[in-house]
Amino acid sequence: MNKSFGDIITEMVTMPNVKWDAVIEALNETLYMTVISTLFTFVFGLILGTLLFLTSKGTTKTSRIFYSIVSFIVNLFRAIPFIILILLLLPFTDILLGTISGPKGALPALIIGAAPFYARLVEIGMKEIDKGVIEAAVSMGASTWTVVTKVLLKESLPALVSGLTVTAIALVGSTAIAGVIGAGGLGNLAYLTGFTRNQNDVILVSTILILVIVFVIQFIGDILVKKIDKR
């Protein structure tokens, strides 16, 4: 039955359909997916991005081939729409985790979808480092590991944190998409409970909570960047 505009406003104000225990459960599922996927994305994206940066400057045929392969894989996964990526990874997810549903089942797609994106941000951040600093470290006999840990990561840290903030916010949106196809979380609550049952107050609460998560992530990221960036 179609609702009048007045009915919709009244519903959003009084929130008769909102079951707060279900909202809290959905919020916890969204936070779980966001936090875990962000941590793994940071690790894998940092490794991939560093490899991209190092091999992009390589002079040997092997390094150029390696860069081309890694760059192609990164670009490939970045180009695949997230909802399609979830469907493509269902067999892999089932083998890896033994389930394709719930917050746990969404993690492989979230990580594989976000890590290449963050890897490019890492590469870009490292390319912004003054070449003289890197050349000075190399001329002093620093090993590749020392250059990475003492120069690349240290000098690009503000960019790495800023990029991770952007990636984490994108992951919040991805968890909402994953929720639509059964991963749980606020996206699942907004769609299955709110949209399919025409409960606008549930959609409103879910949307507000997602926005709060995004604002909190951005706020924390901005503070960290300001403290780290001494320029």
Side-chain angles (χ1 to χ4, degrees):
M1 182 176 66
N2 293 330
K3 298 178 182 178
S4 66
F5 180 74
D7 291 336
I8 293 175
I9 296 299
T10 302
E11 184 179 275
M12 288 184 174
V13 172
T14 59
M15 297 185 179
N17 303 305
V18 176
K19 295 180 175 58
W20 291 105
D21 55 341
V23 171
I24 292 173
E25 181 181 359
L27 175 61
N28 289 334
E29 289 173 343
T30 293
L31 292 175
Y32 169 81
M33 288 187 284
T34 301
V35 172
I36 299 300
S37 60
T38 298
L39 290 175
F40 278 94
T41 293
F42 173 71
V43 174
F44 294 137
L46 186 62
I47 294 172
L48 278 174
T50 303
L51 288 175
L52 284 171
F53 175 78
L54 292 175
T55 54
S56 68
K57 303 296 182 181
T59 56
T60 65
K61 182 178 180 180
T62 302
S63 63
R64 290 195 297 269
I65 292 175
F66 182 84
Y67 176 82
S68 298
I69 294 173
V70 175
S71 181
F72 173 77
I73 294 173
V74 167
N75 290 336
L76 177 65
F77 281 102
R78 285 178 61 203
I80 301 175
F82 180 70
I83 194 166
I84 296 177
L85 182 63
I86 293 178
L87 299 176
L88 289 174
L89 291 176
L90 286 180
F92 170 75
T93 301
D94 191 27
I95 294 172
L96 181 66
L97 301 176
T99 180
I100 59 174
S101 61
K104 186 178 178 182
L107 290 178
L110 289 169
I111 296 167
I112 293 174
F117 173 75
Y118 183 59
R120 282 300 185 191
L121 296 180
V122 171
E123 181 187 13
I124 292 171
M126 290 182 174
K127 284 183 176 180
E128 293 177 352
I129 300 173
D130 187 351
K131 294 181 180 178
V133 177
I134 301 175
E135 292 171 354
V138 173
S139 65
M140 293 173 64
S143 64
T144 301
W145 177 253
T146 301
V147 171
V148 170
T149 56
K150 301 297 183 180
V151 180
L152 296 181
L153 296 183
K154 183 178 179 181
E155 294 295 324
S156 65
L157 191 56
L160 297 182
V161 173
S162 179
L164 187 62
T165 301
V166 173
T167 305
I169 290 174
L171 278 169
V172 174
S174 296
T175 63
I177 297 174
V180 172
I181 60 172
L186 294 169
N188 182 79
L189 182 68
Y191 179 74
L192 290 183
T193 303
F195 179 75
T196 60
R197 299 180 185 177
N198 199 24
Q199 297 177 356
N200 296 288
D201 50 347
V202 175
I203 298 175
L204 177 64
V205 169
S206 301
T207 303
I208 290 174
L209 288 175
I210 289 175
L211 290 175
V212 169
I213 294 173
V214 169
F215 290 147
V216 169
I217 292 173
Q218 187 65 62
F219 178 73
I220 294 173
D222 290 342
I223 289 178
L224 289 176
V225 170
K226 288 180 181 179
K227 288 187 175 181
I228 294 170
D229 196 351
K230 304 299 181 181
R231 292 174 295 180

